[in-house]
């Protein structure tokens, strides 16, 4: 005998709370923030690796000029940082890497000598003929110095340069020189405070990583203070 009641299939009710608009936005913002952090870590890490990698390059190819980046000097006497760079430049000149050495750098307020002039005097004492040295007595940071050197080289029909600075400074100087229209490579000093200790090496890489990223972002210089003993 058939019942008068029909059997119906029970419906399932979703009792899970629905995700609201604000939690969804928060979730995506969190993901974006995490992604940005990962990108920043990769960018900074990759740049630091390139700074370290280029610091290891010694390119003694023939060039029109050897360019020595300035550093502190005291009443005409180069600091130990600057002296290490100048000594490397004198060696490159003796090896015949280039017929001309260019020193560059202005002076701080109250100084009697420019970095370029004190560098030229040092090189003369090392036996480099005065007529083979060009002192570019301007530039208060790396970018202005490189731009001044590029102008001077063009005025003297020179277009290629081997850059001498601290190892960690190599990538940034090479990048700026290329942007200024020069064909440039690096042969950094292997002596001096910049390479004495692991601490100074770490500081140099960190310093140049930040300065290079800032330059690539803004095309302005950022010469952070040097903390190694000079």
């Amino acid at each position: 005998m058939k019942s008068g009641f029909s059997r119906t299939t029970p419906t399932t009710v979703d009792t899970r709370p629905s995700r609201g608009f604000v939690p969804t936005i928060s979730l995506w913002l969190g993901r974006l923030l995490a992604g940005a952090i990962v990108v920043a870590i990769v960018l900074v890490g990759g740049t630091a690796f390139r700074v370290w990698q280029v610091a290891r390059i010694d390119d003694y190819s023939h060039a029109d000029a050897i360019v020595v980046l300035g550093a502190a000097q005291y009443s005409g006497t180069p600091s130990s940082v600057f002296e290490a760079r100048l000594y490397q430049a004198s060696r490159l000149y003796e090896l015949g890497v280039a017929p001309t050495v260019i020193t560059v750098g202005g002076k701080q307020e109250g100084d009697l000598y420019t970095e370029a002039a004190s560098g030229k005097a040092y090189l003369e004492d090392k036996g480099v003929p005065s007529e083979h040295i060009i002192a570019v007595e301007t530039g208060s940071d790396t970018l202005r110095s490189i731009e001044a050197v590029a102008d001077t080289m063009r005025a003297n029909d020179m277009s290629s340069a081997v850059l001498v600075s601290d190892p960690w400074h190599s990538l940034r100087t090479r990048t700026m020189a290329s942007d200024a229209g020069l064909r440039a490579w690096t042969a950094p000093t292997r002596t001096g405070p910049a390479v004495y200790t692991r601490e100074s090496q770490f500081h140099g890489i960190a310093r140049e990583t930040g300065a290079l990223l800032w330059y690539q972002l803004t095309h302005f210089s950022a010469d952070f203070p040097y903390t190694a003993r000079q």
Side-chain angles (χ1 to χ4, degrees), residues 19-36:
R19 192 184 301 276
F21 177 75
V22 173
T24 301
I25 291 296
S26 298
L27 175 64
W28 280 105
L29 286 177
R31 290 175 177 175
L32 287 173
L33 179 60

Side-chain angles (χ1 to χ4, degrees), residues 104-117:
V104 61
K107 61 181 180 180
Q108 302 296 323
E109 185 177 350
D111 285 349
L112 298 177
Y113 298 87
T114 63
E115 295 171 2

Side-chain angles (χ1 to χ4, degrees), residues 187-205:
T189 179
R190 298 298 172 188
T191 62
V195 296
Y196 278 162
T197 65
R198 291 292 184 187
E199 181 184 358
S200 63
Q201 293 173 23
F202 176 80
H203 174 261
I205 293 172

Side-chain angles (χ1 to χ4, degrees), residues 120-162:
K120 180 176 182 179
Y122 177 96
L123 291 170
E124 289 172 343
D125 289 342
K126 289 295 182 182
V128 182
S130 178
E131 62 271 20
H132 291 181
I133 307 170
I134 299 175
V136 181
E137 299 184 81
T138 187
S140 56
D141 57 41
T142 302
L143 181 58
R144 290 185 178 91
S145 294
I146 290 291
E147 290 173 343
V149 166
D151 290 341
T152 299
M153 290 184 63
R154 280 189 287 267
N156 287 274
D157 296 321
M158 294 186 286
S159 60
S160 60
V162 56

Side-chain angles (χ1 to χ4, degrees), residues 3-193:
S3 171
F5 297 97
S6 62
R7 180 176 297 176
T8 59
T9 303
T11 57
T12 302
V13 178
D14 188 355
T15 59
R16 292 175 299 175
S18 62
R19 192 184 301 276
F21 177 75
V22 173
T24 301
I25 291 296
S26 298
L27 175 64
W28 280 105
L29 286 177
R31 290 175 177 175
L32 287 173
L33 179 60
I37 291 172
V38 170
V39 169
I41 291 172
V42 171
L43 179 62
V44 172
T47 301
F49 175 77
R50 284 291 292 154
V51 168
W52 173 84
Q53 187 179 48
V54 174
R56 297 166 61 86
I57 296 174
D58 290 301
D59 192 338
Y60 287 15
S61 300
H62 185 77
D64 293 329
I66 299 162
V67 176
V68 191
L69 276 297
Q73 57 80 34
Y74 307 108
S75 299
T77 301
S79 64
S80 56
V81 171
F82 196 15
E83 183 179 9
R85 300 177 185 182
L86 292 164
Y87 175 74
Q88 170 70 348
S90 68
R91 287 185 60 249
L92 295 176
Y93 178 82
E94 291 172 1
L95 291 171
V97 171
T100 302
V101 182
I102 299 176
T103 59
V104 61
K107 61 181 180 180
Q108 302 296 323
E109 185 177 350
D111 285 349
L112 298 177
Y113 298 87
T114 63
E115 295 171 2
S118 61
K120 180 176 182 179
Y122 177 96
L123 291 170
E124 289 172 343
D125 289 342
K126 289 295 182 182
V128 182
S130 178
E131 62 271 20
H132 291 181
I133 307 170
I134 299 175
V136 181
E137 299 184 81
T138 187
S140 56
D141 57 41
T142 302
L143 181 58
R144 290 185 178 91
S145 294
I146 290 291
E147 290 173 343
V149 166
D151 290 341
T152 299
M153 290 184 63
R154 280 189 287 267
N156 287 274
D157 296 321
M158 294 186 286
S159 60
S160 60
V162 56
L163 306 172
V164 179
S165 187
D166 305 327
W168 329 113
H169 201 197
S170 293
L171 179 57
R172 185 158 60 105
T173 56
R174 192 181 74 177
T175 301
M176 289 178 172
S178 178
D179 289 347
L182 297 177
R183 290 188 296 112
W185 47 95
T186 58
T189 179
R190 298 298 172 188
T191 62

